[in-house]
């Protein structure tokens, strides 16, 4: 058996996405064999997705729907263009590659998009997610890790937001699908002893970020001399978390699967269970005022933004802050990238990529 076959096989869905790309890079460096899956939909510019894949050694010209491609970098990365709703092909992928771990980052993202395209969220975030759970169940996966979202906190106002808080009041369909993912995972952990961990991400930013997110939107508009839209009249606070800090936390979670605890009761905390199940917040625990965030972008670009101050958007919240106490205690997780450093790295990437 060669070294490549000895590597732990992990399926990363959404591998051409922002977080999936960065996680794949880290896992490959850490000695994993990564099977990346993505449907490369046109929710945003696909050239950005193919640009990420190019870094991983996958040329756009080699990508064919339903066919696994091996990286030209010979780094243990394989890629498959596939949608999670394609159940039979997904099942075959698990068999062919003897997958032992899953990190599901594939989902229809975006709070505001869910107001206009609800069916897309059910197909991807519920039906596709169920297909993946079924594959994990039948192939006896060692750990099923999946992206949840800080959006599940909905109408909660107590800060910082804790995994011990009730999350029964989502204010967007996107958030409701993420809460559904957590509930579905628990049922599979309980019924089939499948170790699952959900990660509630808090405002991830950095190089190769999504064009629909604040840092990307603001940077593009300021450079091009266009106005930026500032919602809730600027009275917004976000727990911005740099992507390298995020994926380091995800990797630690993947390598530490939860175990059964038959002595568990609800008083021990609702983010745990008698089943092999866990929920973590993954964020910076250092919230930043949106206007300060914009000021730092202006400072580093060297140009003041034209500003449109608007009311609150449907489905949005005024403040987020992650309580990451349990992730720190369990896995020694501590983000250390400052906003200044993170914005500087993003701008360096943006200016290079878009020349």
């Amino acid at each position: 058996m060669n070294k490549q076959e000895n590597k732990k096989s992990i399926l990363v869905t959404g591998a051409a996405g922002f977080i999936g790309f960065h996680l794949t890079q880290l896992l490959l460096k850490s000695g994993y064999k990564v099977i990346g899956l993505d449907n490369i939909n046109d929710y945003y510019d696909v050239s950005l997705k193919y640009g990420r894949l190019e870094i991983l050694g996958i040329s756009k010209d080699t990508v064919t729907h339903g066919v696994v491609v091996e990286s030209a970098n010979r780094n243990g990365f394989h890629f498959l263009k596939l949608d999670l709703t394609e159940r039979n092909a997904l099942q075959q992928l698990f068999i062919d590659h003897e997958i032992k771990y899953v990190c599901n980052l594939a989902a229809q993202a975006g709070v505001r998009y869910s107001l206009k395209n609800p069916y897309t969220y059910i197909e991807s975030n519920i039906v596709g997610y169920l297909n993946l759970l079924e594959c994990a169940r039948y192939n006896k996966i060692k750990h099923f890790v999946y992206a949840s979202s800080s959006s599940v906190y909905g109408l909660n106002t107590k800060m910082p937001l804790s995994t011990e808080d009730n999350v029964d009041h989502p204010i967007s369909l996107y958030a409701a699908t993420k809460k559904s993912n957590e509930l579905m995972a628990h049922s599979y952990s309980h019924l089939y002893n499948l170790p699952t961990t959900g990660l509630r991400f808090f405002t991830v930013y950095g190089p190769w970020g999504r064009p629909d997110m604040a840092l990307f939107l603001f940077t593009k508009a300021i450079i091009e001399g266009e106005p930026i839209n500032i919602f809730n009249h600027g009275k917004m606070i976000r727990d911005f978390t740099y992507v390298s800090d995020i994926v380091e936390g995800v990797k630690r979670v993947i390598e530490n699967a939860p175990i059964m605890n038959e002595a568990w009761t609800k008083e021990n905390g609702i983010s745990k269970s008698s089943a092999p199940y866990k929920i973590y917040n993954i964020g910076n625990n250092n919230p930043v005022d949106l206007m300060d965030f914009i000021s730092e972008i202006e400072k580093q670009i060297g140009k003041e933004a034209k500003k449109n101050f608007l009311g609150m958007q449907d489905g949005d919240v005024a403040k987020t802050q992650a309580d990451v106490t349990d992730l720190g205690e369990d896995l020694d997780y501590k983000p250390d990238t400052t906003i200044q450093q993170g914005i500087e790295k993003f701008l360096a990437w943006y200016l290079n990529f878009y020349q």
Side-chain angles (χ1 to χ4, degrees):
M1 187 177 284
N2 61 35
K3 288 183 179 179
Q4 199 79 310
E5 289 171 327
N6 275 323
K7 290 184 176 185
K8 292 180 284 189
S9 290
I10 180 167
L11 173 65
V12 175
T13 68
F18 173 35
I19 300 175
F21 160 69
H22 285 279
L23 177 64
T24 296
Q25 284 190 308
L26 179 60
L27 292 174
L28 290 170
K29 289 177 184 175
S30 303
Y32 284 82
K33 173 188 174 184
V34 180
I35 297 89
L37 181 149
D38 203 296
N39 66 1
I40 315 186
N41 66 28
D42 60 359
Y43 171 63
Y44 61 81
D45 183 8
V46 296
S47 67
L48 194 56
K49 299 179 182 184
Y50 280 114
R52 296 173 185 136
L53 288 176
E54 195 76 42
I55 299 294
L56 295 170
I58 303 294
S59 169
K60 179 181 179 180
D61 297 337
T62 66
V63 175
T64 303
H65 184 90
V67 178
V68 176
V69 184
E70 184 175 357
S71 169
N73 296 344
R74 301 293 178 188
N75 55 4
F77 182 59
H78 296 70
F79 179 75
L80 174 63
K81 183 181 179 183
L82 193 75
D83 196 284
L84 290 180
T85 58
E86 299 177 72
R87 185 166 58 188
N88 293 336
L90 190 62
Q91 291 170 341
Q92 193 61 48
L93 180 70
F94 274 76
I95 295 168
D96 291 346
H97 288 271
E98 299 181 347
I99 292 163
K100 299 301 180 188
Y101 298 85
V102 172
C103 185
N104 180 38
L105 301 174
Q108 181 55 61
V111 169
R112 284 161 289 286
Y113 192 69
S114 69
L115 304 180
K116 300 176 182 176
N117 300 275
Y119 290 102
T120 305
Y121 288 76
I122 299 303
E123 290 164 6
S124 177
N125 301 7
I126 302 295
V127 177
Y129 180 80
L130 174 62
N131 291 341
L132 204 54
L133 274 176
E134 280 286 280
C135 288
R137 165 196 173 190
Y138 281 108
N139 290 278
K140 303 191 186 311
I141 296 303
K142 293 182 178 180
H143 194 188
F144 182 91
V145 179
Y146 60 96
S148 185
S149 168
S150 60
S151 298
V152 301
Y153 288 107
L155 294 177
N156 286 15
T157 55
K158 179 183 72 65
M159 296 292 156
L161 297 163
S162 167
T163 53
E164 299 308 314
D165 295 338
N166 180 285
V167 288
D168 287 341
H169 298 88
I171 56 173
S172 70
L173 182 64
Y174 169 70
T177 63
K178 289 300 185 179
K179 170 67 186 292
S180 300
N181 288 172
E182 296 179 0
L183 297 173
M184 292 163 74
H186 185 270
S187 67
Y188 272 67
S189 294
H190 175 75
L191 291 169
Y192 310 117
N193 197 28
L194 173 67
T196 68
T197 302
L199 297 172
R200 294 174 180 169
F201 291 120
F202 280 71
T203 316
V204 189
Y205 75 101
W208 294 99
R210 286 191 353 234
D212 62 326
M213 298 186 77
L215 178 54
F216 200 114
L217 288 168
F218 293 159
T219 297
K220 184 176 187 294
I222 293 170
I223 288 174
E224 295 177 0
E226 297 295 326
I228 63 174
N229 291 329
I230 303 174
F231 295 98
N232 203 33
H233 304 285
K235 297 174 183 176
M236 305 278 274
I237 292 174
R238 286 290 180 269
D239 202 346
F240 292 102
T241 314
Y242 189 67
V243 66
S244 293
D245 291 333
I246 285 284
V247 297
E248 175 59 34
V250 176
K251 176 177 172 288
R252 293 186 190 197
V253 167
I254 290 167
E255 295 171 345
N256 290 273
I259 58 175
M260 292 181 68
N261 177 9
E262 293 180 357
W264 174 88
T265 64
K266 207 169 180 179
E267 287 68 38
N268 299 133
I270 60 175
S271 66
K272 305 172 186 174
S273 173
S274 55
Y277 169 89
K278 190 75 179 76
I279 296 288
Y280 286 115
N281 283 336
I282 184 160
N284 207 19
N285 192 30
N286 187 23
V288 175
D289 187 287
L290 180 61
M291 297 309 297
D292 292 339
F293 188 70
I294 292 169
S295 294
E296 184 60 34
I297 301 170
E298 292 174 319
K299 175 183 171 184
Q300 294 203 26
I301 292 177
K303 186 176 180 181
E304 187 175 349
K306 301 174 184 176
K307 302 177 179 73
N308 283 336
F309 289 95
L310 304 170
M312 181 69 91
Q313 295 186 102
D314 287 340
D316 213 346
V317 296
K319 182 177 180 179
T320 64
Q321 180 184 358
D323 182 341
V324 292
T325 303
D326 53 353
L327 193 54
E329 291 175 349
D330 294 351
L331 302 176
D332 195 28
Y333 175 74
K334 187 171 176 58
D336 59 8
T337 306
T338 66
I339 284 293
Q340 292 77 15
Q341 292 168 332
I343 291 174
E344 181 180 4
K345 291 176 181 178
F346 172 82
L347 287 174
W349 166 78
Y350 182 93
L351 294 171
N352 177 65
F353 187 76
Y354 290 103
Q355 300 180 350

